[in-house]
């Protein structure tokens, strides 16, 4: 790091701040339904106690959720180190952002009634790097999550690329997905126009999004099964704003439930927004967004 950015290394940019709501079962239920998480310890008190737990526990991946605040509260939070850093980055032209990595270390499971607070410290800001998106800096911070007694429950290393967008041809690149060691296999298969689903090597349970450990049996062994490419619309929204030049609007974003039982977030193609219905049968197609990115999209089965 050079210049003003050196001052941020080791600096607290978000002081310890309690989340707006305690850990609660209704939110866990919404999350589990949306993610297709059927692990009974997240919603069944008896099943959780049978495993030696004190009761229902929240999915570990929800840790950050308990500290998220609304847009109005975030905008009203003036004078923070995070805003100061953001202003410096924008002053130097790094006006665009993409998340590149998130690594979690979980210390204990959260139970209903826990109050989670978070503190964020800058670990490092890289020298300017040349990337496919434009010149930028990688900003790495460490978020420490604690409970109502001050006990650390999780630590998250969060990395963003803040960059100056390149002047491109009229069609902009799609935002890059955050690829890590847990999901790289999925994107590699997509580049070959293969839709795969992670499968537990212990109990055979299919799961998506990919993860290191089976939520059902706890096994770290896994392989990948190829999906049939058929499913139905489980839920959808039509995006109108904010607009990104890489997309065409209105943009239909759907949660598709595959015939195999797992769900994934995808775009719908070949259909007008007013024609989409919950439960509508859909089939797999592929979008070669650019030479480095292929993504599954779905279209109505009747157009197959």
């Amino acid at each position: 790091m050079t210049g003003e950015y050196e001052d941020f290394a080791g600096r607290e940019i978000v002081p310890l701040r309690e989340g707006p709501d305690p850990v609660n079962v209704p939110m866990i239920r919404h999350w589990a339904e949306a993610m297709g998480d059927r692990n009974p310890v997240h919603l069944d008190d008896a099943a959780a106690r049978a495993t030696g737990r004190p009761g229902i526990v929240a999915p570990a991946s929800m840790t950050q959720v308990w500290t998220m605040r609304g847009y109005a509260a975030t905008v009203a939070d003036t004078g923070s180190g995070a805003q100061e850093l953001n202003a410096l980055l924008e002053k130097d032209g790094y006006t665009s952002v993409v998340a590149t990595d998130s690594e979690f270390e979980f210390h204990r499971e959260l139970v209903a009634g826990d109050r989670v607070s978070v503190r964020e410290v800058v670990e490092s800001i890289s020298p300017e790097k040349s990337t496919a998106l434009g010149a930028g800096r990688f900003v790495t911070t460490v978020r420490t999550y604690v409970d109502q007694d001050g006990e650390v429950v999780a630590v998250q290393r969060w990395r963003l690329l803040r960059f100056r967008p390149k002047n491109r041809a009229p069609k902009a690149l799609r935002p890059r997905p955050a690829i890590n060691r847990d999901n790289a296999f999925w994107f590699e298969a997509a580049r070959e126009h293969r839709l795969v689903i992670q499968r537990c090597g212990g109990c055979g349970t299919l799961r998506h999004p990919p993860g290191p450990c089976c939520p059902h049996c706890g096994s770290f062994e896994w392989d990948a099964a190829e999906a049939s490419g058929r499913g139905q619309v489980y839920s959808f929204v039509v995006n109108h704003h904010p607009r990104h030049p890489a997309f065409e609007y209105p943009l239909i974003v759907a949660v598709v439930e595959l015939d195999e039982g797992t769900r994934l977030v995808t775009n719908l193609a070949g259909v007008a927004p007013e024609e989409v219905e919950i439960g509508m049968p859909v089939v797999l197609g592929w979008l070669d967004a650019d030479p480095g990115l292929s993504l599954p999209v779905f279209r109505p089965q009747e157009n197959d």
Side-chain angles (χ1 to χ4, degrees):
M1 290 187 291
T2 58
E4 297 173 272
Y5 293 101
E6 291 180 343
D7 297 336
F8 278 93
R11 179 174 168 184
E12 180 182 79
I13 57 172
V14 176
L16 190 65
R17 183 171 59 203
E18 189 176 68
D21 298 295
V23 176
N24 62 86
V25 175
M27 188 68 76
I28 294 173
R29 180 179 296 107
H30 292 316
W31 174 279
E33 181 179 345
M35 301 301 292
D37 188 342
R38 298 177 178 85
N39 191 333
V41 302
H42 299 321
L43 290 174
D44 187 326
D45 189 75
R49 292 182 184 276
T51 66
R53 293 173 167 86
I56 289 173
V57 297
S61 52
M62 285 189 75
T63 300
Q64 187 177 356
V65 171
W66 307 114
T67 63
M68 288 181 172
R69 303 185 302 158
Y71 175 76
T74 302
V75 170
D77 186 17
T78 59
S80 68
Q83 287 199 336
E84 184 180 339
L85 176 57
N86 187 61
L88 175 60
L89 290 162
E90 290 191 355
K91 176 178 72 70
D92 289 342
Y94 306 122
T95 56
S96 295
V97 60
V98 61
T100 63
D101 200 19
S102 175
E103 296 180 5
F104 258 109
E105 176 185 297
F106 301 106
H107 291 223
R108 79 161 175 86
E109 293 176 311
L110 294 168
V111 299
D114 275 334
R115 296 297 306 232
V116 184
S117 300
V118 64
R119 172 179 180 259
E120 186 170 12
V121 175
V122 175
E123 181 177 78
S124 65
I125 302 177
S126 75
E128 185 172 277
K129 306 285 188 180
S130 295
T131 76
L133 297 174
R137 294 177 183 266
F138 290 92
V139 180
T140 305
T141 63
V142 175
R143 297 173 177 175
T144 303
Y145 298 85
V146 302
D147 63 14
Q148 61 276 2
D149 298 318
E151 177 187 354
V152 175
V153 295
V155 177
Q156 179 188 24
R157 179 167 282 100
W158 177 248
R159 185 173 294 111
L160 299 174
L161 171 63
R162 293 293 301 262
F163 63 96
R164 301 187 198 99
K166 285 183 177 180
N167 292 325
R168 299 186 177 276
K171 185 66 173 178
L173 288 179
R174 279 200 170 213
R176 302 293 89 182
I179 299 177
N180 55 45
R181 57 177 173 264
D182 293 325
N183 64 20
F185 78 95
W186 193 90
F187 288 99
E188 289 168 3
R191 282 196 290 271
E192 300 171 356
H193 286 192
R194 295 187 300 112
L195 180 61
V196 297
I197 311 171
Q198 194 174 37
R199 178 172 54 196
C200 176
C203 65
T205 300
L206 298 175
R207 65 180 185 263
H208 187 85
C213 175
C214 177
H216 292 270
C217 73
S219 172
F220 285 89
E221 301 298 322
W222 61 271
D223 61 6
E226 192 147 352
S228 66
R230 296 184 180 275
Q232 62 178 350
V233 175
Y234 181 81
S235 178
F236 74 97
V237 296
V238 181
N239 282 12
H240 299 275
H241 183 80
R243 297 198 168 216
H244 187 286
F247 299 93
E248 296 180 0
Y249 294 84
L251 177 67
I252 306 173
V253 181
V255 176
V256 168
E257 185 168 75
L258 300 176
D259 283 357
E260 291 77 9
T262 58
R263 301 171 188 153
L264 76 160
V265 179
T266 182
N267 289 141
L268 296 185
V271 60
E274 61 272 15
E275 297 172 344
V276 182
E277 296 180 353
I278 302 298
M280 183 176 72
V282 290
V283 293
L284 175 66
W286 290 97
L287 170 67
D288 295 318
D290 56 64
L293 181 64
S294 293
L295 295 171
V297 296
F298 284 78
R299 52 194 171 83
Q301 182 174 307
E302 54 265 30
N303 294 340
D304 189 16

